[in-house]
Amino acid sequence: LKHLIYYRFNTGSIGKGPGVGFWQPGWRVWLFFLRGITPLLERWLGNLLARQFEGRQNKGIAHRVSKQRVESQYDLELRAAVMHDILDMMPEGIKATKSRVVLQHLSEAWRCFKANIPWKV
């Protein structure tokens, strides 16, 4: 039975063995796939390299600054100014050891202030 099935493959100048003459349809599939995907990959790789070396291009559209964003920025600047003033008032010997503790207390007090709850030391 095997010889009847493989009879067509073992004749001619193609070669010996099962399936030797059927490489062409699979080859065409891969060839057309690569022909179609190559421009897409080139464009993707070009955009990736351009973004990597040049950075993202801003569209130049000015976004509207909301009231919440303005108030949030003001809060951040105020908090940084208070921290800076406290650190400036501390002597050099204490600044190194106690600055972290003071900043932790200040952060906790700031969170309580923003949440409108009383702060207990």
Side-chain angles (χ1 to χ4, degrees):
L1 182 68
K2 185 172 83 172
H3 294 290
L4 290 174
I5 294 172
Y6 292 159
Y7 161 72
R8 299 286 293 162
F9 299 115
N10 292 332
T11 59
S13 63
I14 292 175
K16 300 282 186 192
V20 174
F22 285 116
W23 60 270
Q24 200 260 346
W27 178 254
R28 286 185 68 218
V29 169
W30 278 107
L31 189 68
F32 283 110
F33 169 74
L34 289 175
R35 279 179 58 190
I37 201 75
T38 300
L40 299 175
L41 290 175
E42 285 176 354
R43 188 172 59 195
W44 174 77
L45 188 61
N47 290 339
L48 180 72
L49 289 174
R51 189 172 64 241
Q52 189 70 29
F53 290 119
E54 300 167 14
R56 293 185 184 270
Q57 297 297 322
N58 193 359
K59 301 230 178 1
I61 300 170
H63 294 288
R64 192 178 62 110
V65 179
S66 65
K67 183 181 176 186
Q68 180 183 1
R69 191 168 286 173
V70 169
E71 290 175 355
S72 175
Q73 182 64 28
Y74 174 74
D75 288 347
L76 291 174
E77 289 175 0
L78 180 64
R79 180 174 180 240
V82 169
M83 286 185 174
H84 189 266
D85 289 344
I86 288 175
L87 287 177
D88 279 348
M89 287 188 283
M90 295 173 84
E92 281 299 321
I94 299 175
K95 189 186 288 189
T97 57
K98 297 294 180 188
S99 63
R100 185 172 181 166
V101 176
V102 170
L103 292 178
Q104 285 174 345
H105 279 285
L106 185 60
S107 294
E108 187 179 345
W110 187 265
R111 279 196 295 274
C112 290
F113 167 71
K114 291 306 287 181
N116 201 16
I117 55 175
W119 176 57
K120 300 179 187 83
V121 180

